[in-house]
Amino acid sequence: MVPRASVFGFGKGTAKGGSPRARVAAYKVCWPPVSGNECFDADILAAFDVAIQDGVDVLSVSLGGDPTAFFNDSVAIGSFHAIKHGIVVVCSAGNSGPADGTVSNIAPWQITVGASTMDREFRSVVVLGNNMHYKGQSLSSKVLPDKKFFPLLSAADAKLANASIQNATLCQAGALDPKKVTGKILVCLRGKNARVDKGQQAALAGAVGMILANDFLTGNEIIADAHLLPASHINYTDGLAVFAYINSTKNPMARIMPVTTLIGTKPAPFMAAFSSKGPNTITPEILKPDITAPGVSVIAAYTEAEGPTNEDFDKRRVQFNSVSGTSMSCPHVSGIVGLLKTRYPNWSPAAIKSAIMTSATTLDNANERILNASYIKAGPFSYGSGHIQPNLAMDPGLVYDLSTKDYLNFLCTLGYNDTLISAFSQDNYKCPGTPGTYRAQVQKPVGISVKVKPKKLKFKKVGEEKTFIVSLKVKKGEAIKEYVYGQLVWSDHVHYVRSPIVVKAV
C-alpha cells in the first residue's frame, strides 16, 4: 500500500494493486530499434515461454496490433500455450476506436478488455465572458490568477501566414503566430498530434492557457492530462458553444479555474471513444471485447525515466501519473483474476473468464444503459458482457468451462490443417470429423428454376454418404440464350460447401 499517492496533489489517496499481495514480474517485449518501440513476435513468444517456465498465475498483456489470423498472431499463440498450463491471459482490446471492427486480441481463450470511465473527475471549469460555465478536466499544476479573465482566441485565427487553417486549428508545431497568441487563452481542436503537445505549442507561441475541445468522434470523452500550462479539456458540445461565443463576440474573454478532484460523478462508467470495438473481423462468431474496465484517467505508478507527458520537452518527473488506454483497463482485470485464482485455485482459465463475464453489468451509476462517448447507448461490440463487477465475480453461481481441446476443435472448424494446429499443440492433435445437419441454399441462375431434394442432409457419423437431386428447369419467357450462373451451398452454419451452377437454355 502506498499512502498519499497523487498526481501533482490531485486524486490523493492510498494506491494499491488489484491483487495487493501478488508478486509481479515484468517481461519486456518491446524495444526501440529504428522507428520507436517495436514489439517483435520472437520477443513476445520468448516472454510467454519464460513466464510459463516461471510458473506465473496471470499474464497481463497490454499490447497488440491489427487483428490477424490466429496462426499469424504471436500473442494468440503464446497465450494459448499459457492457458494450457492453467495461466489466465488478459489482453487489451486496443485504442483504435470508436470505429467498428477495430478490436484486437480476438482469440476466444484470451480475456479481451475495453476501456471505460470511472466516477472520478479532475475538473477544471472554463468560464466565458458571458458567464457560461463549462466543465472540463485537467491535471495542470499551473493556475491562472484567480478570477482574472484573459482574451480568448480560436487557434484557427492564430495561424501563421504560411500555415494551413487545419494545422493551426489542431495547434500543430509551426502553425501558430506568436504575435496573435501571446497573452491569450487559445482554443485548440483535438486530433492528430498529442493533446499535451497542443498545450506545448500554445505555450511556445505565448498563450497563457489552453482550452482543448473535442471533435465529433471523441464526443464526451475528456481526459485529464498533465498539461504544461493552465488548460482544460472540454467535450464536443461545449466546444461548439465556445467556438460560437468566439465567433459572435467582439472581444471574447475567458478564464480557466483551478483543478479540483470530484468523486461520484454521473454518468459513469461510459465507454472511452478510443476503446477498440467489435465486431471481431477474423472470427465474427466470437464476440469481442469480452469485458470493459476503468481505463480513463487512471492514477498509475510511473517511471521517472521521462516526464508525465512522454514528450521530450517535459522535464518534470512524477512517481504517479494519470494514464488512459486499454493498457490501463487490462491490468484492472488482471488484478481481479489474481484474487479469483487465490479464492478458486483449481478453476480453469475459462471458468475464471466466465465468472468475470457473467457477473458484469450493462448499467451505469444512474441505473441506465452504459453509453458511448457521444452519450448514445453502447452495446456488446463496445463493452462485451459489460463493466466488470469484482465482488459479484467472486460468487458467480454458475460457470461455463472449456478445455484446450475445445479451443483446438474451434481451430479445426476454421479449417486449420495439421501444420497450423502444430503452432498451438505439439501433441499431434487430429481434428475430429464433424457430423451434423446441412441445409441447402440456392442462388438461382437467371431464368432457371432450381429445386433440391431433400433440402436437408443429416449426418450421424464421419464417412456417412447421402444422396440428393438437383433439378433445373427453364422458366418460360425468362430464359436467355447465354450461359447463366448460380450456386448451391450446403451449410451447417460453420461450413459452407459451395458448388457453382453453370447452365445454358437450349
Side-chain angles (χ1 to χ4, degrees), residues 9 14 64 179 246 473 484:
T14 298
K179 294 179 182 178
I246 292 172
K473 188 176 181 179
V484 288

Side-chain angles (χ1 to χ4, degrees), residues 4-21:
R4 298 179 299 281
S6 71
V7 184
F8 298 119
F10 304 119
K12 192 174 293 183
T14 298
K16 64 176 182 176
S19 297
R21 296 184 180 180

Side-chain angles (χ1 to χ4, degrees), residues 446-448 473-475 478-484 502-506:
V446 175
I448 305 294
K473 188 176 181 179
V474 176
K475 294 180 181 179
E478 296 183 27
I480 57 176
K481 292 183 179 181
E482 301 291 343
Y483 282 103
V484 288
V502 181
V503 61
K504 182 178 181 181
V506 294

Side-chain angles (χ1 to χ4, degrees), residues 390-413:
N391 292 344
L392 294 183
M394 293 295 149
D395 185 17
L398 302 174
V399 293
Y400 292 97
D401 205 2
L402 289 168
S403 67
T404 53
K405 183 178 178 181
D406 295 307
Y407 294 128
L408 288 169
N409 287 342
F410 164 74
L411 294 176
C412 291
T413 68

